[in-house]
Amino acid sequence: VDSKEQLEKTKQMLKSLNPDAKIISTEYSKVDLTEILNTGTFDMLKATKSSGWIKEIRKIKQDAAEGKEVHGEADEYGVNSFVYRARVPFH
């Protein structure tokens, strides 16, 4: 994120979707993998019943019903990726 304000906005959005989620702040994505892998803490049923999740689903359905273009989170938050392929390695 670019600013403290954007970081707080992102944290608020995450908490609205899953209030019990543990948020781990990092620099350059450096985090102990035991903090995020095989924690057993995510409950999909519980998450889908949160008010933030329900609100987002309703908004998407309403936009689609009104013929509005519906974008996913990747578009909304500027998340992207790419795959580099070459016949020769970098070195």
Side-chain angles (χ1 to χ4, degrees):
V1 292
D2 295 332
S3 66
K4 288 184 179 184
E5 293 82 21
Q6 188 178 17
L7 176 61
E8 284 306 311
K9 184 178 176 183
T10 301
K11 285 181 178 181
Q12 288 174 0
M13 183 268 306
L14 291 171
K15 283 294 184 186
S16 75
L17 294 176
N18 188 350
D20 298 328
K22 179 180 180 181
I23 297 176
I24 302 169
S25 296
T26 69
E27 289 187 23
Y28 300 102
S29 303
K30 293 179 183 176
V31 64
D32 181 358
L33 293 180
T34 61
E35 292 282 332
I36 58 173
L37 297 178
N38 299 318
T39 62
T41 58
F42 182 72
D43 182 342
M44 181 62 134
L45 183 59
K46 187 175 180 181
T48 59
K49 291 183 177 182
S50 76
S51 61
W53 191 297
I54 293 168
K55 181 181 173 184
E56 286 300 311
I57 296 298
R58 286 182 179 154
K59 182 180 179 301
I60 290 168
K61 287 182 178 180
Q62 182 66 33
D63 287 350
E66 293 174 1
K68 295 179 182 174
E69 192 171 346
V70 178
H71 297 283
E73 291 86 359
D75 293 327
E76 186 174 347
Y77 299 108
V79 176
N80 58 49
S81 64
F82 70 94
V83 176
Y84 175 83
R85 290 193 172 102
R87 292 178 182 252
V88 295
F90 283 116
H91 59 285

